[in-house]
Amino acid sequence: MAKARTTGFTLGRMQVVIRLFAGLREHTGISRRQLELDDGAVVGDVWGALELGDEPPGLLYAVNRSYADRDQPLVDGDEVALIPPVSGGAFRLTQGPVNLTSVVVEVVDEKAGAIATFLGTVRAQSRGRDVVALEYEAYEEMAEEVMAEIADELRSRYELCKVAMSHRLGRVEVGETSVAIAVSAPHRQDALAACADTIEALKARVPLWKKELYVGGEEWIGRGS
């Protein structure tokens, strides 16, 4: 009598591209590498598969150049970027694009019942001129300290959990984001009011200047504009 054959089952594998930046890149000596994962793997499996020790707090992920949750499934050929926390914490200046998700992450708190956000973008017309772009410059060492002072003052006036601000430096094109603010609070009234006060205080007090590039010329615009 012939014996029945048993067939082994092998879980499928996939290849993804991993990219590391800034401090993570310098610490590991890796900027880009191929990583093999089991089929069915999710974004949150990547760090463990790299065998780099404990995952740093505040780490963000992007899949194919879009921010991704840890439980997002991966497929063969995906590019996964590991984005370390940006220096400056909740109050920062950046030479690259401002991302609202990373600002909101700074204010997430289990005591919060509301998170209010504000995005400032470059508009195409200003004071009767057709705007091409804006260029921002700051006294960087002072600017982040003033942002922190503003947050402390807001906490004394409202019942808040956390405040975060991020402002872009350098050239910002029409339609792009120049500043992002997030405020968390137990109640929405305080979150909304404090968010509105934050942008007004930032414009009036933080040592930031912008050059307006418009069709036919350019002009430096002072703080508060």
Side-chain angles (χ1 to χ4, degrees):
M1 181 176 179
K3 293 182 179 180
R5 296 181 59 189
T6 58
T7 303
F9 176 77
T10 303
L11 188 66
R13 306 285 281 177
M14 62 178 164
Q15 296 280 337
V16 298
V17 176
I18 307 300
R19 300 190 63 187
L20 286 78
F21 298 91
L24 283 178
R25 174 181 50 76
E26 292 181 353
H27 176 69
T28 62
I30 300 168
S31 61
R32 183 187 183 98
R33 63 169 284 189
Q34 292 277 345
L35 184 66
E36 189 175 64
L37 297 170
D38 290 335
D39 283 346
V42 299
V43 169
D45 295 326
V46 168
W47 182 264
L50 289 170
E51 299 181 342
L52 297 175
D54 293 336
E55 182 175 336
L59 185 68
L60 297 176
Y61 293 89
V63 176
N64 301 327
R65 302 181 184 178
S66 296
Y67 280 98
D69 294 329
R70 294 175 58 85
D71 59 357
Q72 178 172 318
L74 295 172
V75 299
D76 189 61
D78 275 345
E79 180 182 273
V80 183
L82 279 62
I83 303 171
V86 182
S87 62
F91 314 108
R92 56 179 175 258
L93 303 171
T94 175
Q95 293 289 343
V98 173
N99 184 275
L100 181 60
T101 300
S102 63
V103 180
V104 170
V105 166
E106 296 285 352
V107 303
V108 171
D109 191 293
E110 63 181 11
K111 298 186 295 295
I115 296 177
T117 62
F118 170 83
L119 284 179
T121 57
V122 178
R123 61 183 183 269
Q125 284 83 35
S126 175
R127 294 172 297 171
R129 298 168 173 170
D130 292 328
V131 175
V132 176
L134 298 179
E135 289 185 0
Y136 286 93
E137 183 177 321
Y139 181 7
E140 297 186 39
E141 296 83 352
M142 179 181 173
E144 291 175 353
E145 293 181 4
V146 175
M147 289 179 180
E149 291 173 2
I150 291 170
D152 287 340
E153 293 173 8
L154 289 167
R155 293 189 191 98
S156 70
R157 299 204 306 270
Y158 301 100
E159 184 183 358
L160 303 179
C161 297
K162 297 176 182 177
V163 179
M165 311 172 215
S166 182
H167 204 295
R168 186 170 177 177
L169 301 180
R171 185 183 176 101
V172 186
E173 303 292 336
V174 170
E176 292 184 331
T177 299
S178 58
V179 59
I181 294 169
V183 179
S184 62
H187 307 289
R188 66 178 182 275
Q189 295 90 342
D190 283 346
L192 291 167
C195 190
D197 285 359
T198 300
I199 184 59
E200 295 304 324
L202 187 152
K203 291 170 64 176
R205 294 170 50 189
V206 176
L208 276 160
W209 301 269
K210 68 181 178 183
K211 179 190 287 185
E212 187 177 84
L213 309 178
Y214 55 89
V215 176
E218 59 183 41
E219 180 183 356
W220 280 103
I221 309 296
R223 290 185 300 113
S225 59

